[in-house]
């Protein structure tokens, strides 16, 4: 039985080229799986037929109904594999029409890869499909919001109010460090539990905006995933009463998306224009004009640093910001992989100014922001972030 299973696996991996493997017949369900994979991964020859001329979904005009194919993919594979197969459908087959028909669009698994593709094609999506496209983007944004919002709010609130406490109970603003320290005497060795007599909470409300946060986001095509996460981050920052938040996107031109992001990050994503050149220096210059209290300003440049503008001018402006007291961070990528493709030389030049350059995964963002606002050196995170 194990030998038979292995033969079937190899048959599915190799496709119709392996049809003549001995004792390797496929069940109806396995045949459907084979055809589903064949549609994306089977090579097509010059005549438009499969490499062997045999059966398969790769015979040009005989491609399957896309809506049904998407359903089959989601039935056969776990979610992480579905994302890979969908991305391959776009890349290997150029199936942008997956995103242009409501009937197929509604069957696509919402994931950040599909959002990135939608952003790159936003100007080509027909009117009849726009609502379904927004629903897909909304699902991904809402999922990221659930993952980031509570921790990011707690991090900012704790950093801004580290000396201010309140008797009002609120779990999300718990000062865990003080609560644990003050209740160590209540540790129960038998159950190995700490039983607090009293909890301590950070003050959540601020009548005045105490810090300014400026997000300067590179909207070149390679930064898609970072743009998605950055838009959600900007939306969360904008919802915090203690922060004055600005969200700026740039290529060779500058777009201030503060109000759009504040109202709805989905609108911001559909307003991003991917591709084109990059003038980071020009955008940083604009962001400098937004600074009113340097020592209470956090400036986050999110870019792969492939600068098409004046590199010396960019370095000078970043150094001026730092010398004025602005907390400056360069995020080379804000993505799940945390693996950036960036201009190494420019990143090293920025690091020599004493400005941290990191590729950060979203789950570590709250910790990074909290330390930045508290004035804690980010050098100690070099072992856990992808630093320069």
């Amino acid at each position: 039985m194990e030998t038979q299973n292995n033969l079937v696996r190899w048959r599915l991996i190799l496709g119709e080229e392996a049809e003549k493997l001995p004792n390797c017949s496929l069940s109806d369900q396995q045949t459907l799986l084979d055809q589903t994979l064949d549609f994306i991964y089977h090579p097509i020859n010059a005549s438009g037929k499969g490499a062997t001329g045999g059966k398969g979904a790769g015979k040009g005009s005989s491609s399957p109904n896309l809506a049904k194919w998407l359903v089959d993919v989601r039935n056969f594979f776990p979610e992480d594999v579905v994302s890979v197969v969908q991305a391959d459908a776009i890349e290997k087959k150029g199936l942008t029409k997956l995103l242009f028909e409501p009937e197929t669009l509604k069957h696509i698994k919402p994931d950040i890869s599909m959002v990135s593709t939608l952003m790159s094609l936003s100007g080509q999506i027909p009117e009849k499909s726009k609502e379904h496209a927004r629903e897909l983007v909304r699902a991904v944004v809402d999922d990221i919001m659930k993952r980031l919002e509570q921790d990011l709010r707690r991090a900012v609130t704790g950093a801004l109010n580290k000396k201010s406490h309140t008797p009002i109970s609120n779990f999300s603003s718990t000062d865990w460090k003080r609560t644990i320290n003050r209740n160590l005497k209540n540790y129960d060795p038998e159950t190995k539990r700490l039983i607090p007599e009293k909890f301590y909470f950070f003050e959540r409300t601020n009548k005045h905006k105490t810090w300014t946060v400026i997000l300067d986001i590179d909207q070149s095509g390679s930064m898609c995933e970072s743009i998605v996460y950055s838009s959600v981050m900007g939306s969360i920052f904008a919802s915090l009463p203690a922060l004055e938040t600005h969200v700026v996107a740039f290529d060779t031109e500058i777009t201030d998306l503060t109000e759009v992001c504040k109202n709805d990050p989905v609108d911001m994503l559909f307003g991003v224009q991917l591709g084109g050149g990059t003038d980071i220096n020009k955008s940083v210059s604009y962001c400098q004009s937004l600074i009113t209290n340097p020592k209470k300003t956090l400036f986050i440049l999110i870019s792969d640093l492939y600068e098409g503008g004046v590199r010396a001018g960019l370095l000078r402006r970043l150094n001026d910001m730092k010398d004025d007291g602005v907390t400056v961070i360069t995020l080379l990528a804000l993505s799940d992989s945390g693996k950036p493709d960036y201009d190494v030389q420019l990143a090293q030049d920025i690091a020599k100014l004493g400005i941290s350059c990191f590729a950060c995964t979203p789950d570590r963002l709250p910790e990074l922001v909290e330390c930045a606002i508290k004035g804690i050196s980010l050098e100690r995170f070099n072992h856990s972030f992808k630093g320069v």
Side-chain angles (χ1 to χ4, degrees):
M1 180 62 72
E2 184 177 352
T3 300
Q4 178 66 21
N5 288 339
N6 287 335
L7 281 171
V8 169
R9 284 189 173 189
W10 278 110
R11 167 63 184 81
L12 292 172
I13 290 170
L14 297 174
E16 66 179 20
E17 298 289 343
E19 276 189 334
K20 296 181 180 179
L21 281 175
N23 303 317
C24 188
S25 58
L26 300 180
S27 67
D28 290 345
Q29 188 78 350
Q30 290 165 344
T31 299
L32 180 58
L33 172 57
D34 184 42
Q35 292 172 348
T36 301
L37 291 171
D38 207 34
F39 176 56
I40 299 300
Y41 301 107
H42 186 72
I44 299 176
N45 61 25
S47 67
K49 295 185 177 183
T52 64
K55 72 159 189 66
K59 294 182 180 180
S61 62
S62 62
S63 60
N65 177 279
L66 289 177
K68 180 182 181 301
W69 178 80
L70 284 165
V71 172
D72 290 339
V73 168
R74 297 181 73 165
N75 286 337
F76 281 125
F77 302 109
E79 287 194 359
D80 56 338
V81 178
V82 171
S83 296
V84 173
V85 175
Q86 286 182 167
D88 285 346
I90 298 294
E91 179 182 350
K92 295 178 181 297
K93 296 293 186 177
L95 297 179
T96 52
K97 61 181 177 180
L98 276 172
L99 310 177
F100 293 164
E101 295 296 331
E103 185 58 32
T104 57
L105 192 58
K106 68 183 181 182
H107 291 296
I108 292 177
K109 176 188 175 294
D111 60 41
I112 200 161
S113 174
M114 279 300 116
V115 171
S116 298
T117 304
L118 279 169
M119 288 168 58
S120 67
L121 299 170
S122 60
Q124 304 173 41
I125 299 174
E127 196 65 36
K128 64 180 180 180
S129 300
K130 285 185 177 179
E131 189 55 39
H132 289 286
R134 286 186 64 86
E135 289 174 4
L136 189 150
V137 174
R138 171 71 63 193
V140 174
V141 167
D142 287 349
D143 178 66
I144 296 173
M145 190 73 76
K146 289 176 184 176
R147 289 165 50 194
L148 291 183
E149 185 170 22
Q150 187 175 12
D151 288 342
L152 199 52
R153 282 177 171 273
R154 185 185 298 122
V156 173
T157 303
L160 294 179
N161 300 282
K162 54 183 178 293
K163 295 181 180 178
S164 178
H165 290 83
T166 174
I168 301 174
S169 300
N170 192 306
F171 181 80
S172 66
S173 59
T174 303
D175 182 352
W176 289 108
K177 183 177 180 180
R178 189 178 187 193
T179 298
I180 292 171
N181 286 340
R182 294 293 181 90
N183 288 281
L184 286 175
K185 63 181 183 294
N186 299 317
Y187 179 73
D188 184 355
E190 290 186 8
T191 61
K192 296 183 179 181
R193 292 181 179 179
L194 186 69
I195 306 174
E197 288 182 355
K198 182 178 180 180
F199 282 83
Y200 295 84
F201 304 93
F202 289 119
E203 180 69 55
R204 288 180 61 84
T205 59
N206 284 282
K207 294 182 180 180
H208 304 288
K209 297 185 182 298
T210 55
W211 270 72
T212 297
V213 176
I214 302 172
L215 301 182
D216 196 19
I217 307 168
D218 185 341
Q219 60 180 353
S220 57
S222 60
M223 297 294 293
C224 276
E225 188 172 347
S226 297
I227 294 169
V228 176
Y229 279 116
S230 298
S231 70
V232 176
M233 176 172 62
S235 179
I236 294 171
F237 284 157
S239 70
L240 294 172
L243 298 181
E244 177 70 38
T245 303
H246 298 276
V247 180
V248 177
F250 67 90
D251 42 34
T252 54
E253 299 299 326
I254 301 161
T255 306
D256 194 321
L257 296 169
T258 300
E259 291 303 317
V260 179
C261 186
K262 185 184 300 183
N263 295 330
D264 189 345
V266 175
D267 286 339
M268 175 188 154
L269 290 176
F270 277 103
V272 167
Q273 301 295 320
L274 295 176
T278 307
D279 193 337
I280 309 173
N281 177 50
K282 183 177 180 180
S283 184
V284 171
S285 174
Y286 174 79
C287 291
Q288 279 183 299
S289 69
L290 304 174
I291 299 172
T292 56
N293 185 352
K295 294 183 178 180
K296 293 290 184 181
T297 298
L298 173 60
F299 174 73
I300 304 178
L301 173 63
I302 304 160
S303 173
D304 55 17
L305 300 180
Y306 287 110
E307 171 66 308
V310 184
R311 295 167 70 100
L314 170 62
L315 291 169
R316 185 180 66 252
R317 292 184 189 283
L318 292 175
N319 193 53
D320 288 346
M321 277 190 184
K322 177 178 172 291
D323 288 347
D324 288 342
V326 176
T327 301
V328 182
I329 300 174
T330 300
L331 292 183
L332 304 168
L334 182 58
S335 63
D336 291 313
S337 67
K339 296 178 181 179
D341 174 14
Y342 62 98
D343 186 316
V344 176
Q345 184 58 58
L346 186 52
Q348 290 175 343
D349 290 341
I350 292 173
K352 288 176 183 177
L353 301 176
I355 296 172
S356 295
C357 293
F358 295 117
C360 181
T361 53
D363 62 307
R364 303 304 300 276
L365 182 64
E367 183 183 6
L368 177 63
V369 171
E370 181 177 14
C371 289
I373 293 177
K374 285 182 176 179
I376 299 173
S377 173
L378 300 180
E379 290 302 314
R380 69 191 186 94
F381 291 105
N382 277 332
H383 69 282
S384 56
F385 293 133
K386 311 286 185 183
V388 174

